Amino acid sequence: EVQLVESGGDLVQPGGSLRLSCAASGFTFSDPYMDWVRQAPGKGLEWVGRSRDKTNSYTTEYAASVKGRFTISRDDSRNSLYLQMNSLKTEDTAVYYCTRAIRDRNGYGIYDYWGQGTLVTVSS
Amino acid sequence: DIQMTQSPSSLSASVGDRVTITCRASQGIRDYLAWFQQKPGKAPKSLIYAASSLQSGVPSKFSGSGSGTEFTLTISSLQPEDFATYYCQQYNSYPLTFGGGTKLEIK
């Protein structure tokens, strides 16, 4: 059974840093793309970024709103995905979800499983 | 960036009804369109990918269609568990973008 479990959410001051983790199980972790998606309170879904699969050297993509501040990494030995968040702003307050994206034959990632989310609150 | 516009933003319907939600892309995305269902306080659930393909385990009461810039999600024979918020997403190009959501409420 595929499971994604996020952790690390917390209350942090503006300008601070936080690292989120997503523990994966039930599949070969190096195979799929892995994404982070966030949802501000009462708002819609916003894509944060992607780590491609091992075949694509785990290269990354980011939303403009987080590029240069957030870094996605993964550790296959721990079956874990990470989101390092620096220079946090109040507008980064959201529930952060990790998602699995299965690569189709053309290299596009299709979301199938989502974690339960972890809440990050940026406030003084 | 590709903008995804969903309509309506909210919809009231009765148990047993059939409803259709529309998603429009600001430029062509071929069929790289997914639909998700989200209930309050829960993570989204993947329903449809490639505009019309059902994810494993998703009942056939959900169906998707469209290509290019206009897409629809149709839910037939609404049941209480179907009342939720639905989102579309394009995955044709970066940044990946979502529609604003359609909240389906019980009439």
Side-chain angles (χ1 to χ4, degrees), chain A residues 9-33:
Chain A
D10 205 348
L11 171 64
V12 60
Q13 291 190 336
S17 297
L18 201 62
R19 188 176 88 150
L20 305 183
S21 300
C22 171
S25 60
F27 63 98
T28 302
F29 185 66
S30 59
D31 281 352
Y33 299 164

PDB file of all heavy atoms in Angstrom, chain A residues 9-33:
ATOM      1  N   GLY A   9       5.920  20.391   9.993  1.00  0.00           N
ATOM      2  CA  GLY A   9       5.222  21.667  10.034  1.00  0.00           C
ATOM      3  C   GLY A   9       5.266  22.288  11.426  1.00  0.00           C
ATOM      4  O   GLY A   9       5.260  21.577  12.430  1.00  0.00           O
ATOM      5  N   ASP A  10       5.283  23.613  11.454  1.00  0.00           N
ATOM      6  CA  ASP A  10       5.440  24.303  12.742  1.00  0.00           C
ATOM      7  C   ASP A  10       5.099  25.772  12.570  1.00  0.00           C
ATOM      8  O   ASP A  10       4.836  26.243  11.458  1.00  0.00           O
ATOM      9  CB  ASP A  10       6.882  24.139  13.227  1.00  0.00           C
ATOM     10  CG  ASP A  10       7.013  24.264  14.732  1.00  0.00           C
ATOM     11  OD1 ASP A  10       6.052  24.707  15.406  1.00  0.00           O
ATOM     12  OD2 ASP A  10       8.104  23.913  15.247  1.00  0.00           O
ATOM     13  N   LEU A  11       5.122  26.480  13.690  1.00  0.00           N
ATOM     14  CA  LEU A  11       5.006  27.934  13.700  1.00  0.00           C
ATOM     15  C   LEU A  11       6.413  28.508  13.624  1.00  0.00           C
ATOM     16  O   LEU A  11       7.283  28.146  14.438  1.00  0.00           O
ATOM     17  CB  LEU A  11       4.308  28.393  14.978  1.00  0.00           C
ATOM     18  CG  LEU A  11       4.300  29.900  15.261  1.00  0.00           C
ATOM     19  CD1 LEU A  11       3.516  30.647  14.188  1.00  0.00           C
ATOM     20  CD2 LEU A  11       3.710  30.168  16.654  1.00  0.00           C
ATOM     21  N   VAL A  12       6.631  29.398  12.661  1.00  0.00           N
ATOM     22  CA  VAL A  12       7.960  29.977  12.479  1.00  0.00           C
ATOM     23  C   VAL A  12       7.803  31.469  12.195  1.00  0.00           C
ATOM     24  O   VAL A  12       6.794  31.906  11.629  1.00  0.00           O
ATOM     25  CB  VAL A  12       8.720  29.254  11.339  1.00  0.00           C
ATOM     26  CG1 VAL A  12       7.983  29.376  10.015  1.00  0.00           C
ATOM     27  CG2 VAL A  12      10.146  29.726  11.221  1.00  0.00           C
ATOM     28  N   GLN A  13       8.790  32.231  12.608  1.00  0.00           N
ATOM     29  CA  GLN A  13       8.733  33.682  12.398  1.00  0.00           C
ATOM     30  C   GLN A  13       9.104  34.039  10.961  1.00  0.00           C
ATOM     31  O   GLN A  13       9.867  33.304  10.311  1.00  0.00           O
ATOM     32  CB  GLN A  13       9.688  34.384  13.363  1.00  0.00           C
ATOM     33  CG  GLN A  13       9.253  34.307  14.813  1.00  0.00           C
ATOM     34  CD  GLN A  13      10.080  35.222  15.702  1.00  0.00           C
ATOM     35  OE1 GLN A  13      11.215  35.561  15.374  1.00  0.00           O
ATOM     36  NE2 GLN A  13       9.512  35.636  16.826  1.00  0.00           N
ATOM     37  N   PRO A  14       8.599  35.165  10.463  1.00  0.00           N
ATOM     38  CA  PRO A  14       9.024  35.625   9.133  1.00  0.00           C
ATOM     39  C   PRO A  14      10.538  35.740   9.064  1.00  0.00           C
ATOM     40  O   PRO A  14      11.188  36.197  10.015  1.00  0.00           O
ATOM     41  CB  PRO A  14       8.348  36.999   9.031  1.00  0.00           C
ATOM     42  CG  PRO A  14       7.150  36.903   9.906  1.00  0.00           C
ATOM     43  CD  PRO A  14       7.566  36.041  11.065  1.00  0.00           C
ATOM     44  N   GLY A  15      11.084  35.290   7.932  1.00  0.00           N
ATOM     45  CA  GLY A  15      12.527  35.270   7.756  1.00  0.00           C
ATOM     46  C   GLY A  15      13.181  34.004   8.239  1.00  0.00           C
ATOM     47  O   GLY A  15      14.373  33.764   7.972  1.00  0.00           O
ATOM     48  N   GLY A  16      12.428  33.156   8.901  1.00  0.00           N
ATOM     49  CA  GLY A  16      12.980  31.919   9.447  1.00  0.00           C
ATOM     50  C   GLY A  16      13.037  30.797   8.431  1.00  0.00           C
ATOM     51  O   GLY A  16      12.696  30.960   7.255  1.00  0.00           O
ATOM     52  N   SER A  17      13.478  29.639   8.908  1.00  0.00           N
ATOM     53  CA  SER A  17      13.636  28.457   8.053  1.00  0.00           C
ATOM     54  C   SER A  17      12.924  27.271   8.676  1.00  0.00           C
ATOM     55  O   SER A  17      12.704  27.218   9.895  1.00  0.00           O
ATOM     56  CB  SER A  17      15.128  28.118   7.895  1.00  0.00           C
ATOM     57  OG  SER A  17      15.819  29.152   7.241  1.00  0.00           O
ATOM     58  N   LEU A  18      12.600  26.309   7.823  1.00  0.00           N
ATOM     59  CA  LEU A  18      11.937  25.089   8.265  1.00  0.00           C
ATOM     60  C   LEU A  18      12.199  24.018   7.221  1.00  0.00           C
ATOM     61  O   LEU A  18      12.320  24.330   6.028  1.00  0.00           O
ATOM     62  CB  LEU A  18      10.435  25.335   8.394  1.00  0.00           C
ATOM     63  CG  LEU A  18       9.603  24.405   9.266  1.00  0.00           C
ATOM     64  CD1 LEU A  18      10.064  24.457  10.720  1.00  0.00           C
ATOM     65  CD2 LEU A  18       8.119  24.797   9.172  1.00  0.00           C
ATOM     66  N   ARG A  19      12.317  22.766   7.658  1.00  0.00           N
ATOM     67  CA  ARG A  19      12.450  21.662   6.714  1.00  0.00           C
ATOM     68  C   ARG A  19      11.315  20.681   6.915  1.00  0.00           C
ATOM     69  O   ARG A  19      11.112  20.173   8.027  1.00  0.00           O
ATOM     70  CB  ARG A  19      13.798  20.944   6.874  1.00  0.00           C
ATOM     71  CG  ARG A  19      14.031  19.917   5.762  1.00  0.00           C
ATOM     72  CD  ARG A  19      15.378  19.261   5.824  1.00  0.00           C
ATOM     73  NE  ARG A  19      15.386  18.078   6.655  1.00  0.00           N
ATOM     74  CZ  ARG A  19      16.187  17.025   6.477  1.00  0.00           C
ATOM     75  NH1 ARG A  19      17.044  17.035   5.452  1.00  0.00           N
ATOM     76  NH2 ARG A  19      16.157  16.003   7.297  1.00  0.00           N
ATOM     77  N   LEU A  20      10.587  20.441   5.843  1.00  0.00           N
ATOM     78  CA  LEU A  20       9.526  19.447   5.855  1.00  0.00           C
ATOM     79  C   LEU A  20      10.058  18.126   5.314  1.00  0.00           C
ATOM     80  O   LEU A  20      10.941  18.109   4.460  1.00  0.00           O
ATOM     81  CB  LEU A  20       8.345  19.904   4.999  1.00  0.00           C
ATOM     82  CG  LEU A  20       7.736  21.267   5.316  1.00  0.00           C
ATOM     83  CD1 LEU A  20       6.529  21.517   4.417  1.00  0.00           C
ATOM     84  CD2 LEU A  20       7.374  21.389   6.776  1.00  0.00           C
ATOM     85  N   SER A  21       9.482  17.051   5.812  1.00  0.00           N
ATOM     86  CA  SER A  21       9.830  15.717   5.338  1.00  0.00           C
ATOM     87  C   SER A  21       8.579  14.996   4.871  1.00  0.00           C
ATOM     88  O   SER A  21       7.478  15.257   5.360  1.00  0.00           O
ATOM     89  CB  SER A  21      10.478  14.894   6.456  1.00  0.00           C
ATOM     90  OG  SER A  21      11.660  15.491   6.927  1.00  0.00           O
ATOM     91  N   CYS A  22       8.773  14.091   3.940  1.00  0.00           N
ATOM     92  CA  CYS A  22       7.692  13.232   3.463  1.00  0.00           C
ATOM     93  C   CYS A  22       8.253  11.818   3.417  1.00  0.00           C
ATOM     94  O   CYS A  22       9.139  11.531   2.604  1.00  0.00           O
ATOM     95  CB  CYS A  22       7.207  13.672   2.091  1.00  0.00           C
ATOM     96  SG  CYS A  22       6.039  12.536   1.302  1.00  0.00           S
ATOM     97  N   ALA A  23       7.774  10.958   4.290  1.00  0.00           N
ATOM     98  CA  ALA A  23       8.212   9.572   4.329  1.00  0.00           C
ATOM     99  C   ALA A  23       7.322   8.739   3.432  1.00  0.00           C
ATOM    100  O   ALA A  23       6.091   8.732   3.600  1.00  0.00           O
ATOM    101  CB  ALA A  23       8.166   9.049   5.759  1.00  0.00           C
ATOM    102  N   ALA A  24       7.942   8.034   2.490  1.00  0.00           N
ATOM    103  CA  ALA A  24       7.199   7.248   1.509  1.00  0.00           C
ATOM    104  C   ALA A  24       7.366   5.760   1.771  1.00  0.00           C
ATOM    105  O   ALA A  24       8.430   5.314   2.238  1.00  0.00           O
ATOM    106  CB  ALA A  24       7.684   7.582   0.103  1.00  0.00           C
ATOM    107  N   SER A  25       6.337   5.004   1.469  1.00  0.00           N
ATOM    108  CA  SER A  25       6.404   3.551   1.586  1.00  0.00           C
ATOM    109  C   SER A  25       5.448   2.914   0.600  1.00  0.00           C
ATOM    110  O   SER A  25       4.522   3.565   0.107  1.00  0.00           O
ATOM    111  CB  SER A  25       6.078   3.103   3.014  1.00  0.00           C
ATOM    112  OG  SER A  25       4.776   3.510   3.380  1.00  0.00           O
ATOM    113  N   GLY A  26       5.699   1.640   0.313  1.00  0.00           N
ATOM    114  CA  GLY A  26       4.798   0.895  -0.559  1.00  0.00           C
ATOM    115  C   GLY A  26       5.134   0.955  -2.032  1.00  0.00           C
ATOM    116  O   GLY A  26       4.386   0.427  -2.856  1.00  0.00           O
ATOM    117  N   PHE A  27       6.246   1.585  -2.401  1.00  0.00           N
ATOM    118  CA  PHE A  27       6.657   1.651  -3.802  1.00  0.00           C
ATOM    119  C   PHE A  27       8.153   1.927  -3.866  1.00  0.00           C
ATOM    120  O   PHE A  27       8.774   2.297  -2.855  1.00  0.00           O
ATOM    121  CB  PHE A  27       5.869   2.726  -4.557  1.00  0.00           C
ATOM    122  CG  PHE A  27       6.065   4.133  -4.073  1.00  0.00           C
ATOM    123  CD1 PHE A  27       6.954   4.993  -4.707  1.00  0.00           C
ATOM    124  CD2 PHE A  27       5.354   4.620  -2.984  1.00  0.00           C
ATOM    125  CE1 PHE A  27       7.126   6.302  -4.265  1.00  0.00           C
ATOM    126  CE2 PHE A  27       5.517   5.918  -2.526  1.00  0.00           C
ATOM    127  CZ  PHE A  27       6.409   6.760  -3.166  1.00  0.00           C
ATOM    128  N   THR A  28       8.722   1.757  -5.049  1.00  0.00           N
ATOM    129  CA  THR A  28      10.140   2.041  -5.268  1.00  0.00           C
ATOM    130  C   THR A  28      10.322   3.543  -5.358  1.00  0.00           C
ATOM    131  O   THR A  28       9.918   4.171  -6.343  1.00  0.00           O
ATOM    132  CB  THR A  28      10.640   1.338  -6.537  1.00  0.00           C
ATOM    133  OG1 THR A  28      10.417  -0.072  -6.414  1.00  0.00           O
ATOM    134  CG2 THR A  28      12.125   1.607  -6.755  1.00  0.00           C
ATOM    135  N   PHE A  29      10.911   4.120  -4.337  1.00  0.00           N
ATOM    136  CA  PHE A  29      10.904   5.578  -4.175  1.00  0.00           C
ATOM    137  C   PHE A  29      11.631   6.301  -5.310  1.00  0.00           C
ATOM    138  O   PHE A  29      11.290   7.422  -5.654  1.00  0.00           O
ATOM    139  CB  PHE A  29      11.536   5.941  -2.829  1.00  0.00           C
ATOM    140  CG  PHE A  29      11.477   7.409  -2.509  1.00  0.00           C
ATOM    141  CD1 PHE A  29      10.267   8.042  -2.289  1.00  0.00           C
ATOM    142  CD2 PHE A  29      12.639   8.156  -2.428  1.00  0.00           C
ATOM    143  CE1 PHE A  29      10.204   9.396  -1.999  1.00  0.00           C
ATOM    144  CE2 PHE A  29      12.599   9.503  -2.133  1.00  0.00           C
ATOM    145  CZ  PHE A  29      11.381  10.128  -1.921  1.00  0.00           C
ATOM    146  N   SER A  30      12.619   5.662  -5.918  1.00  0.00           N
ATOM    147  CA  SER A  30      13.391   6.337  -6.965  1.00  0.00           C
ATOM    148  C   SER A  30      12.637   6.428  -8.298  1.00  0.00           C
ATOM    149  O   SER A  30      13.072   7.135  -9.206  1.00  0.00           O
ATOM    150  CB  SER A  30      14.724   5.630  -7.181  1.00  0.00           C
ATOM    151  OG  SER A  30      14.501   4.286  -7.555  1.00  0.00           O
ATOM    152  N   ASP A  31      11.513   5.716  -8.409  1.00  0.00           N
ATOM    153  CA  ASP A  31      10.831   5.641  -9.702  1.00  0.00           C
ATOM    154  C   ASP A  31      10.047   6.883 -10.101  1.00  0.00           C
ATOM    155  O   ASP A  31      10.147   7.323 -11.249  1.00  0.00           O
ATOM    156  CB  ASP A  31       9.895   4.418  -9.730  1.00  0.00           C
ATOM    157  CG  ASP A  31      10.643   3.126  -9.995  1.00  0.00           C
ATOM    158  OD1 ASP A  31      11.855   3.197 -10.303  1.00  0.00           O
ATOM    159  OD2 ASP A  31      10.021   2.054  -9.896  1.00  0.00           O
ATOM    160  N   PRO A  32       9.184   7.380  -9.224  1.00  0.00           N
ATOM    161  CA  PRO A  32       8.324   8.468  -9.681  1.00  0.00           C
ATOM    162  C   PRO A  32       8.903   9.853  -9.451  1.00  0.00           C
ATOM    163  O   PRO A  32       9.874  10.037  -8.725  1.00  0.00           O
ATOM    164  CB  PRO A  32       7.076   8.304  -8.810  1.00  0.00           C
ATOM    165  CG  PRO A  32       7.619   7.772  -7.516  1.00  0.00           C
ATOM    166  CD  PRO A  32       8.830   6.949  -7.859  1.00  0.00           C
ATOM    167  N   TYR A  33       8.285  10.851 -10.091  1.00  0.00           N
ATOM    168  CA  TYR A  33       8.503  12.221  -9.681  1.00  0.00           C
ATOM    169  C   TYR A  33       7.820  12.374  -8.317  1.00  0.00           C
ATOM    170  O   TYR A  33       6.856  11.688  -7.998  1.00  0.00           O
ATOM    171  CB  TYR A  33       7.842  13.201 -10.641  1.00  0.00           C
ATOM    172  CG  TYR A  33       8.309  13.167 -12.078  1.00  0.00           C
ATOM    173  CD1 TYR A  33       7.551  13.763 -13.080  1.00  0.00           C
ATOM    174  CD2 TYR A  33       9.499  12.559 -12.462  1.00  0.00           C
ATOM    175  CE1 TYR A  33       7.957  13.766 -14.401  1.00  0.00           C
ATOM    176  CE2 TYR A  33       9.917  12.542 -13.783  1.00  0.00           C
ATOM    177  CZ  TYR A  33       9.131  13.151 -14.757  1.00  0.00           C
ATOM    178  OH  TYR A  33       9.524  13.140 -16.066  1.00  0.00           O
TER     179      TYR A  33
END
